[in-house]
Amino acid sequence: MTLVDLLKNVGRQSIESVGGDNIESGDGPSDDEFRESEQIGNGHRPDHPRGGKLGGISDQNGKREIMREEDEKRWNDECLFDCDQILEDFAPRNRIPFGFMWCLYRFVLSRIRHNRSVPEALYPTHEPQSGRSAERAIFTRHVLFTRMASVKNPPIEISASVLGTMLSSAAAEMSQCPTETGTNLSRHSESMASGLETRIHCEMTKSDQRTASLRALRLCLAMAFLLASGHGVCQTIYTPAPENLKARQEFQDAKFGMFIHWGVYSVLGDGEWVFHERKLTLDEYNRLPSFFDPEKFDAKAWIALAKAAGMKYITITSRHHDGFAMFDSKVSDWNIVQRTPYKRDPLKMLAEECHRQGIKLFFYYSQLDWHNPDYYPRGITNWDNGRLNRGDWNRYLDDYMDGQLRELLTNYGEVGGIWFDGMWDKPDADWHLEKTYALIHKLQPAALIIPNHHQSPKPGEDVQTFERDLPGQNSAGFNTSYVSAQLPLESSDTINDSWGFNIGDSKYKSPSELVSRLVRSAGNNANLLLNIGPMPNGEIQEEFVARLRSVGQWLSKYGESIYGTRGGPLPPGDWGVTTRKENKIYVHVLNWAAPLLALPPVQTRITRAVFLSNGSSIEFTQSANGLILKVPPSTGDEPDRIILLTCREAN
Ligand code: FHN
């Protein structure tokens, strides 16, 4: 949602609320009018109707304040858009102190208050204080109020409670009238009252126009201040560079990537959360790097396996939640070169081999850090691992994190992008995202920022990724159900149940399940980032290798129905999904036993249907009501029966 949308939404809400119910309750008189009325009152008639809620006018300020305050609050509630929300969302950091801008804005706002005073006609400022005409005036008011209370739409929008009080005070005044009989007074006031009504009407309409123009003025003011204080729309709306947009296209065409969770935690063969799961202390975990010596690590072999699997890019953990840098970092010695016997930088070797073999390399980077003392205040996954109970959050973000991101985007050649994770540990913290994202886009404009924060996309982000889920499904329970219509989509998953090497996890998905997972992602217009957790010696366990090779074999035959396609044109279903490319539609029958498959209508005219596995013709009927395909029988070992529909024009 751009700021504009947000404003539209917030604005629409507030205008509705403003426009909707009757709100005015005889707002307080302007300062000088008030002073005047007090003089009029010179007897301090506490329940004088102009006293706002008419009550509690005990002393000058109290009376004055009570009235103004509640009016002020209602005005603010009704007239002001939810600026807090707007600015919270969009206010970038460390610019002109936001607080200062806000106070300035509020100050100006309070200077341009529009008092929708009770119509002059109701309480003429120069009203006679005593004698017959004073009585007449009081009586007239009484008549008028009685009338207003009795009719459905009184001439002035006054809430019942205020009206009630004004009536009782007029009655109170009435009771003080000494002599004249009621009858001829009433006759006189009836005519007075109707004259008053019309005058009140035109006063009210004039003031409504004033209110409306004031609201518009306030909105412009809010926008002006946002822009002036550098919190403007143009500041936070992210405009991806042309090379970034090109990279997004290539990313979407790639469709299949290898996710690699590898780190010193692999030594314990119990997944990447072992530090947390076993509630180890820093001293205990600090021993692990000395056991990490992946002498069998072979970047060529890893990339060869990715290519054999049909994967077009690799995303590897440059550092996970244990904060351990799997690269040569000068920002901290808690890294593979300085703290392990291996003393080499595997990311450097991988980057060089990826560039050689034309595979894009992305770096997974954990924002969450269970090791660095400056990751403070701690987050939802915190446990007492011996870290000091204090730290400098800004230093962690600006020096440590941005420092390492600068190294990754400077020392490893062209990088496909940064895959962030862990922000969900402190979802409401100020992560300086705009600053960090701007740094990445400056250092490598084509680099894609892929945040696994499980929230809807934020300015500066280039891809929306869903963990262990298809876009919007949220069966894993922690993903957002919001699916961006603009950004490329990605879905990440494991081959067994673990991300990091887990010696005890043999819940491997079958090759068919993995193919269907890839096809369903493509049918939902998303890439699949399929994970391996290499062993501590650098080798990749056979169960992963075999499954990846078989997926690669499938892609070598049916890759045209995946690579370079987009999801659709038909919505995904249990039966299967469709992918499309130029004038071709691939119907992926994943879970359908019946011989005929009835599908929703396809807009373009289909000229031919063939079974992709053997090129045999497929019978079909196409009408405005739908498309019926004769599905070839399943042989049981193919995960996906693909029917290629050739259309007269591109979809
Ligand atoms: O905690 C991590 C987990 O270890 C793994 O990295 C996955 C990968 O998407 N993300 C986090 C869980 O949401």
Side-chain angles (χ1 to χ4, degrees), residues 470-547:
L470 289 168
Q473 276 183 356
N474 198 16
S475 53
F478 50 61
N479 285 307
T480 170
S481 49
Y482 172 87
V483 179
S484 168
Q486 287 84 26
L487 299 183
L489 307 175
E490 183 191 57
S491 167
S492 64
D493 213 331
T494 53
I495 294 179
N496 54 8
D497 265 358
S498 307
W499 298 102
F501 172 59
N502 185 335
I503 208 163
D505 177 355
S506 51
K507 293 196 226 40
Y508 302 108
K509 298 176 179 68
S510 67
S512 302
E513 280 174 288
L514 295 173
V515 165
S516 135
R517 185 75 178 75
L518 171 64
V519 171
R520 283 197 183 278
S521 300
N524 282 270
N525 205 26
N527 291 13
L528 175 64
L529 183 64
L530 188 58
N531 181 77
I532 58 168
M535 298 187 280
N537 66 353
E539 283 183 322
I540 297 171
Q541 63 196 85
E542 187 40 41
E543 296 87 351
F544 292 159
V545 173
R547 282 164 177 76

Side-chain angles (χ1 to χ4, degrees), residues 259 261 265 271-273 317 320-321 364 366 368 370 381 419-422 424 452-454 465-468 478-479 492-494 498-500 529 531:
F259 208 174
H261 276 71
Y265 43 77
E272 75 290 352
W273 271 56
T317 49
H320 201 263
H321 309 334
Y364 167 109
S366 173
L368 159 58
W370 291 325
T381 61
W419 206 98
F420 281 113
D421 198 6
W424 34 262
N452 188 42
H453 47 42
H454 305 158
T465 195
F466 298 83
E467 182 177 330
R468 291 186 195 276
F478 50 61
N479 285 307
S492 64
D493 213 331
T494 53
S498 307
W499 298 102
L529 183 64
N531 181 77

Side-chain angles (χ1 to χ4, degrees), residues 23-30 34 49-54 63-79 113-118 159 162 218:
I23 50 174
E24 299 307 334
S25 60
D27 288 333
S30 63
F34 190 84
R50 279 206 253 194
K53 278 219 179 322
L54 306 181
K63 177 173 66 177
R64 179 180 181 81
E65 285 316 305
I66 291 167
M67 176 167 170
R68 299 214 167 245
E69 216 173 280
E70 82 210 15
D71 282 343
E72 186 140 342
K73 191 178 157 324
R74 186 157 34 73
W75 270 117
N76 292 344
D77 299 352
E78 274 137 14
C79 298
R113 175 154 307 294
H114 158 61
N115 296 330
R116 186 152 179 227
S117 57
V118 173
S159 62
V162 172
R218 282 209 177 88

Side-chain angles (χ1 to χ4, degrees), residues 162-183:
V162 172
L163 194 52
T165 348
M166 291 161 106
L167 255 177
S168 54
S169 65
E173 280 171 336
M174 273 287 292
S175 58
Q176 284 146 19
C177 289
T179 53
E180 192 158 354
T181 57
T183 43

Side-chain angles (χ1 to χ4, degrees), residues 606-644:
I606 296 166
T607 54
R608 193 158 171 269
V610 298
F611 190 25
L612 198 59
S613 74
N614 57 17
S616 59
S617 274
I618 295 280
E619 289 172 48
F620 69 95
T621 54
Q622 179 180 20
S623 70
N625 307 327
L627 167 68
I628 298 186
L629 296 170
K630 191 159 182 312
V631 180
S634 161
T635 54
D637 63 355
E638 89 288 77
D640 177 11
R641 283 167 289 164
I642 308 173
I643 298 170
L644 164 57

Side-chain angles (χ1 to χ4, degrees), residues 275-515:
F275 189 2
H276 180 278
E277 298 304 306
R278 298 191 190 175
K279 298 293 178 281
L280 299 173
T281 64
L282 280 183
D283 297 346
E284 289 160 347
Y285 199 84
N286 287 350
R287 285 212 187 99
L288 264 187
S290 56
F291 307 132
F292 188 75
D293 188 4
E295 77 286 350
K296 295 269 180 62
F297 166 68
D298 173 358
K300 275 196 182 63
W302 284 21
I303 294 165
L305 175 61
K307 294 184 84 168
M311 293 160 159
K312 302 296 185 189
Y313 62 99
I314 289 177
T315 302
I316 183 167
T317 49
S318 64
R319 95 187 193 125
H320 201 263
H321 309 334
D322 61 359
F324 191 80
M326 292 295 284
F327 59 100
D328 181 10
S329 172
K330 300 292 179 280
V331 172
S332 147
D333 70 349
W334 179 233
N335 71 65
I336 192 170
V337 174
Q338 290 166 279
R339 302 288 284 265
T340 73
Y342 186 67
K343 296 196 175 322
R344 279 164 287 161
D345 181 340
L347 297 195
K348 180 72 82 182
M349 293 177 246
L350 260 180
E352 284 155 3
E353 194 55 31
C354 279
H355 297 143
R356 246 195 307 279
Q357 299 203 37
I359 289 273
K360 277 264 174 67
L361 182 62
F362 290 74
F363 290 134
Y364 167 109
Y365 190 89
S366 173
Q367 291 149 307
L368 159 58
D369 190 322
W370 291 325
H371 196 274
N372 187 314
D374 278 338
Y375 184 87
Y376 189 88
R378 307 279 140 76
I380 55 175
T381 61
N382 185 46
W383 78 99
D384 178 4
N385 61 11
R387 258 188 303 190
L388 301 172
N389 237 344
R390 64 175 183 280
D392 179 336
W393 180 241
N394 292 332
R395 184 170 58 201
Y396 170 74
L397 293 175
D398 303 343
D399 305 353
Y400 191 92
M401 232 178 68
D402 287 0
Q404 287 194 326
L405 288 167
R406 183 181 292 281
E407 291 174 321
L408 288 169
L409 291 159
T410 311
N411 307 342
Y412 298 86
E414 188 202 330
V415 171
I418 302 292
W419 206 98
F420 281 113
D421 198 6
M423 218 179 97
W424 34 262
D425 183 58
K426 290 162 52 100
D428 307 325
D430 173 358
W431 286 90
H432 300 192
L433 287 183
E434 192 194 337
K435 183 164 169 293
T436 300
Y437 289 173
L439 169 71
I440 296 168
H441 290 312
K442 187 159 122 301
L443 291 170
Q444 297 206 21
L448 302 179
I449 292 179
I450 311 178
N452 188 42
H453 47 42
H454 305 158
Q455 298 172 21
S456 52
K458 302 176 187 304
E461 295 167 359
D462 304 299
V463 174
Q464 186 181 14
T465 195
F466 298 83
E467 182 177 330
R468 291 186 195 276
D469 239 329
L470 289 168
Q473 276 183 356
N474 198 16
S475 53
F478 50 61
N479 285 307
T480 170
S481 49
Y482 172 87
V483 179
S484 168
Q486 287 84 26
L487 299 183
L489 307 175
E490 183 191 57
S491 167
S492 64
D493 213 331
T494 53
I495 294 179
N496 54 8
D497 265 358
S498 307
W499 298 102
F501 172 59
N502 185 335
I503 208 163
D505 177 355
S506 51
K507 293 196 226 40
Y508 302 108
K509 298 176 179 68
S510 67
S512 302
E513 280 174 288
L514 295 173
V515 165

